[in-house]
Amino acid sequence: MPTPLSGNKAPTRADRTVDTEGANVKFSTDLGVDGYRDMPGLVAEARTFKDPSPKDIRLSSEQLQGVNDLETLGTTIAKAFEDNKAYLGAEEITGNNENLGVSSLRKQAFFNGIAKDLESSNLPATDKQGALKMLKRLEEESYMNREITFDTGKLDTYHPYTKPFDKGVRKIEALAPPGVEREAITAELNYITDRKTRASGWGNVSEGNAEETLGLRPVDRDNGGQALSLAKDSVDSFKPKYVVINVNTDGLPEGMEEHAGKSVVRDGENLVFDKTSTAVPAELAEHLTEKAASKNTGLRLMESAETKRGSFPYDWNQNGGVDVDGMNIGWWGHCHIEAPLAALKLAAGSDVTVFDARSKGESTFGATDVNDLLFALMDADRYADINTGRAASAETTTFVGNRNDTIGGQHPGDKMILTVGGREIPFSFKLTGLYDVDDAEKSVNPDDSFSPTVVTEGLKFEKNPAFSGLREQDWSVISGERKFEGSVEYMDVNSRGGVERKKADIVIDPKNPADEPILLSSELGRGSYPPSVTKYYLNQKTGNLESRQFEAAKKEDGSYEMKPVGEENKVFGAVGGMNLSRELTKESVIELHNHFLDAARRGVSFVTEKDSGHMVWNYGTDSFKINKVEEDGDFVKYEVADKTQGGTKTWSYILKYDDEGNAVDAHAFSAPPDFVFRPEKTVTAPLVRAENGSVLYNSAAYERGFLVGEDGKISDESLSFFRYASDVLYASLVDPAKDNQFVIMDDQGEMYFYDTKEAYEADVAKLKGDTAEVTD
């Protein structure tokens, strides 16, 4: 019989909601089908505001009759606005977001009302379009030259890989009963360790030296989580062969029986017992069994006694092979999760202490633990159609700009594009010097050349004659038929047979062709060890793109040297033209301008990607200021200061307006953010019904192993991660002013809140069996 509890029973999952200053939050999804009406999860939607006390503010008949030209209209509107300043500014509302949202509703109604009443004025018909343009401009300028401040959340970390979001997940793992429920949460923890964790160092991760640079141990999950060792015949650094090693279970030397079946790790020529630094006794060397590891490999945290193995290869990024280059993950993290949460002011509230009646486990979740669960939920946000398996979206985002920095290119995103056989072939390189098309001795500024527009006089600008257009969405293109300098990177095999990246400086001058073919790039062959290398060259003498294969030859001393195959380069094709391309950073200026104005009207913050280069740094936007600096007819110059939680981003630009007051062209003086966005609707749930009516399943959860059980079906048990994470989050947010929420989950999974710690502890004692009290 269930134990009676004195706490306050929580609302049903379907009725659990919380509002923050930036978001309306629910903790379930409803598919509209019995059994699937209250799936545990998290749904956050950006808030919209209503005017609690609207008024109809209009120009009087007398004022309208006095309007007979645009100048009079402007002064009349300015006076009416000033007379109603407190109302139009919603000064009675103190919350920043609501103040902005309500003020916007009032101002739009004010200006729209004037536009409708213009027919009753004495304004000449020829000035009507100018009047509408003025009204549009005045409404926009009401948000300018002043600080627009939002209510935003402050989270304690963006969870770089050195600080993974695992602590809160480990605490719900400890709460869950053994079996399917705990295993589902363990599956998420394994994913966090495998893909989101770095336990040592900072900066580069080398897959060729994985243990030392990650501080984690590669393991075989299909063999009890044993550590992986390199097979003795593993020589290909791209495709290492792994084994698991165990002490035999019988036939051991006398006195060695205690080691029967133990897992062993090979470290170079040494053998140690797994999870220790204890050497395997020499007497056991002939009593070990090696078997090929399974394909189900992963990583685990290392024990304090373990020693990291140097030069241990592991395909950490799971791209099918061990990469030659190190990966700079010092800036990797989860700002793409933290920043939207900050914009929606969605973060941990009160601490939460939970007792689970079924497992008899208890955990206290502080702010960091609650935010860990929030991050883990938000990280599992990929979906697919349950019928077709095709990827689909359950979310809605207002997005401006371009997230694809340096698409397919080497940082910082320069390319030379050769036209060969009627098709374009791009080669990545770094442009270091650029010269005038007509004068090879005259150096020019590449940034000016790649800009789509150029200022001609005052604030006026026009199309840049050096600019050829855009390629692949945000790549500026200019003519490459000129002298330029740069550096290229290529792959080669070193004397040890390993692959390494090298650099070469190049100069391309059509009027002074190079005597030797110019190296442009290389391609590794992966069919042998060491691999072959194919290098590509521009032959200015013949006008051809050429290639040459090189193979590593082993010398008598055991070292390798690269030797070309054949007597000469092979002709790949005749080069019919060349362009240069660079990522456009001064883009989306009009869209960004309008987005900032709309954010002021909406009263909900947004995310700013603050870095204009190849890195991505997302931050919640605390405030911004658009200053109107100067005006010259249809050309207006603005300066923006965007105050994010990671510092201030500033930029300036000119907009050109048409007769209706719409911005139709732009010139940027400095680079704005790459992109900004607002999550209008964010969903993390096992199942969700999309806007088009189709049912979507959480493909991220499915791939990571916490959506279905071993039978391949969704059940209450298999959804334990979603249930525990959303329950703890709801408990933390439902009354964020409390220091600590005390919660009991009964043996039916119902949630009870307690007003006092004493009442909570009394019921915990009953559930633990310290006092036996049951009822029918």
Side-chain angles (χ1 to χ4, degrees):
M1 299 298 177
T3 302
L5 300 177
S6 63
N8 302 309
K9 191 174 181 180
T12 63
R13 192 176 304 281
D15 294 326
R16 295 176 191 171
T17 62
V18 168
D19 290 339
T20 74
E21 285 86 343
N24 303 121
V25 188
K26 299 190 299 182
F27 298 87
S28 66
T29 57
D30 181 2
L31 300 188
V33 179
D34 288 343
Y36 298 94
R37 304 199 71 93
D38 56 355
M39 305 295 289
L42 175 69
V43 180
E45 296 187 66
R47 286 191 66 177
T48 56
F49 297 98
K50 294 183 178 180
D51 190 343
S53 53
K55 299 178 183 178
D56 188 12
I57 305 295
R58 296 288 185 97
L59 296 182
S60 66
S61 297
E62 183 180 354
Q63 287 174 313
L64 288 168
Q65 290 298 311
V67 173
N68 51 26
D69 56 37
L70 291 178
E71 182 178 356
T72 306
L73 176 63
T75 57
T76 303
I77 293 173
K79 184 178 186 308
F81 195 99
E82 182 65 26
D83 291 343
N84 295 278
K85 183 178 179 180
Y87 169 76
L88 293 173
E91 292 181 5
E92 78 278 14
I93 297 175
T94 56
N96 288 319
N97 287 3
E98 187 177 7
N99 172 272
L100 286 168
V102 173
S103 173
S104 170
L105 294 173
R106 294 175 179 181
K107 287 190 289 187
Q108 288 183 57
F110 172 73
F111 286 111
N112 288 339
I114 293 174
K116 292 177 182 178
D117 291 342
L118 283 177
E119 296 298 328
S120 302
S121 73
N122 287 316
L123 192 70
T126 53
D127 285 336
K128 290 294 175 65
Q129 186 170 340
L132 295 175
K133 181 177 180 179
M134 174 188 291
L135 289 169
K136 180 179 176 64
R137 187 73 62 86
L138 288 172
E139 189 274 337
E140 291 181 354
E141 290 178 359
S142 71
Y143 298 102
M144 295 179 186
N145 299 89
R146 70 184 183 95
E147 197 81 15
I148 303 295
T149 303
F150 301 103
D151 296 313
T152 55
K154 304 294 189 294
L155 288 91
D156 49 1
T157 178
Y158 73 101
H159 284 299
Y161 283 41
T162 52
K163 293 182 180 179
F165 46 85
D166 61 343
K167 297 179 184 63
V169 183
R170 294 186 190 282
K171 288 188 175 182
I172 62 172
E173 181 191 42
L175 280 178
V180 174
E181 292 183 74
R182 186 170 295 175
E183 290 166 2
I185 300 171
T186 301
E188 166 67 352
L189 274 173
N190 287 341
Y191 167 78
I192 294 172
T193 305
D194 289 352
R195 308 294 298 128
K196 304 288 184 175
T197 301
R198 181 179 189 174
S200 69
W202 191 262
N204 277 5
V205 165
S206 169
E207 289 192 341
N209 191 16
E211 279 201 356
E212 284 198 341
T213 57
L214 284 171
L216 303 170
R217 176 134 289 176
V219 297
D220 184 341
R221 293 218 165 95
D222 281 352
N223 279 292
Q226 284 187 226
L228 298 174
S229 294
L230 284 176
K232 292 180 179 178
D233 62 347
S234 180
V235 295
D236 188 344
S237 58
F238 288 117
K239 300 284 186 180
K241 296 179 183 178
Y242 299 120
V243 295
V244 291
I245 308 172
N246 291 86
V247 178
N248 295 338
T249 55
D250 52 30
L252 301 180
E254 186 176 351
M256 295 288 154
E257 293 81 5
E258 65 176 303
H259 300 303
K262 283 186 177 179
S263 174
V264 172
V265 176
R266 176 182 291 124
D267 183 1
E269 298 298 321
N270 301 318
L271 296 169
V272 297
F273 289 115
D274 198 3
K275 297 187 178 181
T276 75
S277 58
T278 304
V280 175
E283 300 94 309
L284 291 177
E286 301 300 322
H287 298 272
L288 303 176
T289 298
E290 295 187 20
K291 67 175 182 179
S294 76
K295 301 297 183 183
N296 185 19
T297 64
L299 297 163
R300 66 163 171 80
L301 301 178
M302 296 184 71
E303 303 291 335
S304 59
E306 290 183 288
T307 301
K308 295 186 283 286
R309 292 173 288 182
S311 301
F312 192 90
Y314 185 74
D315 180 16
W316 177 64
N317 62 11
Q318 299 180 1
N319 67 349
V322 174
D323 291 340
V324 175
D325 298 316
M327 289 169 278
N328 177 15
I329 72 165
W331 59 279
W332 290 17
H334 296 83
C335 60
H336 64 286
I337 294 176
E338 181 207 25
L341 292 175
L344 297 176
K345 203 174 183 184
L346 180 53
S350 60
D351 293 353
V352 181
T353 298
V354 180
F355 177 81
D356 193 297
R358 294 176 304 148
S359 66
K360 303 298 188 289
E362 184 179 50
S363 293
T364 295
F365 299 81
T368 297
D369 304 318
V370 174
N371 286 335
D372 279 356
L373 295 176
L374 185 52
F375 270 73
L377 281 166
M378 298 286 281
D379 184 62
D381 65 344
R382 285 188 291 107
Y383 296 88
D385 188 290
I386 203 165
N387 292 314
T388 66
R390 293 176 181 170
S393 177
E395 303 177 334
T396 306
T397 301
T398 299
F399 191 93
V400 172
N402 180 29
R403 70 173 71 239
N404 298 313
D405 294 283
T406 60
I407 302 172
Q410 167 192 330
H411 300 152
D414 299 327
K415 294 182 182 179
M416 65 182 87
I417 305 166
L418 277 59
T419 301
V420 181
R423 66 188 182 101
E424 293 184 339
I425 304 177
F427 291 93
S428 295
F429 80 118
K430 181 177 181 180
L431 181 66
T432 57
L434 185 67
Y435 295 82
D436 188 84
V437 173
D438 300 317
D439 185 354
E441 300 301 317
K442 182 181 178 182
S443 177
V444 297
N445 186 330
D447 287 339
D448 291 341
S449 297
F450 284 104
S451 173
T453 53
V454 58
V455 175
T456 54
E457 179 184 356
L459 299 184
K460 296 179 181 179
F461 60 86
E462 61 184 28
K463 188 180 185 308
N464 184 359
F467 183 76
S468 300
L470 288 175
R471 178 179 181 271
E472 292 182 2
Q473 191 172 359
D474 77 332
W475 290 79
S476 299
V477 178
I478 63 174
S479 171
E481 302 296 332
R482 68 216 293 169
K483 179 183 176 182
F484 62 91
E485 300 161 346
S487 66
V488 299
E489 295 187 358
Y490 64 98
M491 308 303 288
D492 227 330
V493 175
N494 59 30
S495 61
R496 300 182 303 278
V499 178
E500 63 183 17
R501 186 180 293 277
K502 296 181 179 179
K503 291 184 178 181
D505 293 326
I506 62 171
V507 177
I508 294 180
D509 185 352
K511 295 180 180 179
N512 294 287
D515 294 330
E516 298 294 330
I518 300 170
L519 178 63
L520 300 182
S521 73
S522 66
E523 185 177 46
L524 285 175
R526 296 204 174 193
S528 61
Y529 179 81
S532 62
V533 178
T534 300
K535 297 179 182 179
Y536 295 90
Y537 302 86
L538 173 64
N539 190 326
Q540 289 188 295
K541 295 289 188 181
T542 64
N544 293 325
L545 177 65
E546 301 177 348
S547 66
R548 188 81 173 271
Q549 185 173 332
F550 294 78
E551 293 183 348
K554 196 169 188 177
K555 299 190 293 186
E556 290 185 1
D557 62 2
S559 64
Y560 291 87
E561 63 177 348
M562 296 300 292
K563 290 191 173 182
V565 176
E567 297 299 323
E568 57 185 20
N569 294 347
K570 293 182 179 179
V571 175
F572 191 90
V575 176
M578 179 186 294
N579 287 319
L580 301 179
S581 181
R582 169 172 285 185
E583 186 200 6
L584 178 63
T585 57
K586 300 176 182 179
E587 61 180 321
S588 307
V589 174
I590 297 174
E591 293 84 354
L592 286 166
H593 178 87
N594 291 334
H595 172 90
F596 276 73
L597 290 174
D598 287 342
R601 298 182 183 109
R602 285 281 302 277
V604 178
S605 181
F606 55 92
V607 176
T608 298
E609 198 286 277
K610 188 168 165 283
D611 191 284
S612 299
H614 72 272
M615 293 184 181
V616 176
W617 291 101
N618 294 300
Y619 293 106
T621 304
D622 287 332
S623 67
F624 69 83
K625 187 175 184 180
I626 301 178
N627 284 332
K628 179 182 175 181
V629 179
E630 189 179 353
E631 185 172 1
D632 182 4
D634 291 329
F635 296 84
V636 183
K637 182 179 180 181
Y638 300 95
E639 292 176 351
V640 177
D642 181 2
K643 294 183 180 179
T644 78
Q645 295 184 359
T648 301
K649 174 74 174 177
T650 61
W651 68 98
S652 60
Y653 51 94
I654 302 170
L655 294 185
K656 180 182 178 181
Y657 289 90
D658 64 13
D659 291 339
E660 295 180 354
N662 299 311
V664 292
D665 204 354
H667 174 84
F669 291 104
S670 51
D674 268 339
F675 56 82
V676 297
F677 69 93
R678 180 189 301 107
E680 303 291 355
K681 182 179 181 180
T682 298
V683 182
T684 297
L687 299 170
V688 63
R689 191 173 291 280
E691 294 293 331
N692 64 4
S694 61
V695 174
L696 311 181
Y697 71 92
N698 193 312
S699 56
Y702 179 78
E703 292 166 7
R704 299 172 196 176
F706 58 92
L707 183 68
V708 299
E710 290 186 357
D711 59 0
K713 297 180 180 179
I714 289 177
S715 65
D716 289 340
E717 290 78 14
S718 70
L719 300 184
S720 60
F721 166 75
F722 291 101
R723 188 174 68 252
Y724 278 100
S726 60
D727 284 353
V728 171
L729 183 59
Y730 170 69
S732 179
L733 292 176
V734 69
D735 190 358
K738 291 190 71 172
D739 291 332
N740 197 318
Q741 290 281 13
F742 291 96
V743 175
I744 289 178
M745 306 289 190
D746 73 3
D747 53 9
Q748 304 300 309
E750 298 287 355
M751 179 189 293
Y752 290 82
F753 288 90
Y754 289 80
D755 294 328
T756 66
K757 181 179 180 181
E758 291 74 21
Y760 162 81
E761 289 178 338
D763 274 1
V764 168
K766 286 193 296 184
L767 292 167
K768 284 183 175 179
D770 296 344
T771 60
E773 183 179 341
V774 295
T775 181
D776 291 336

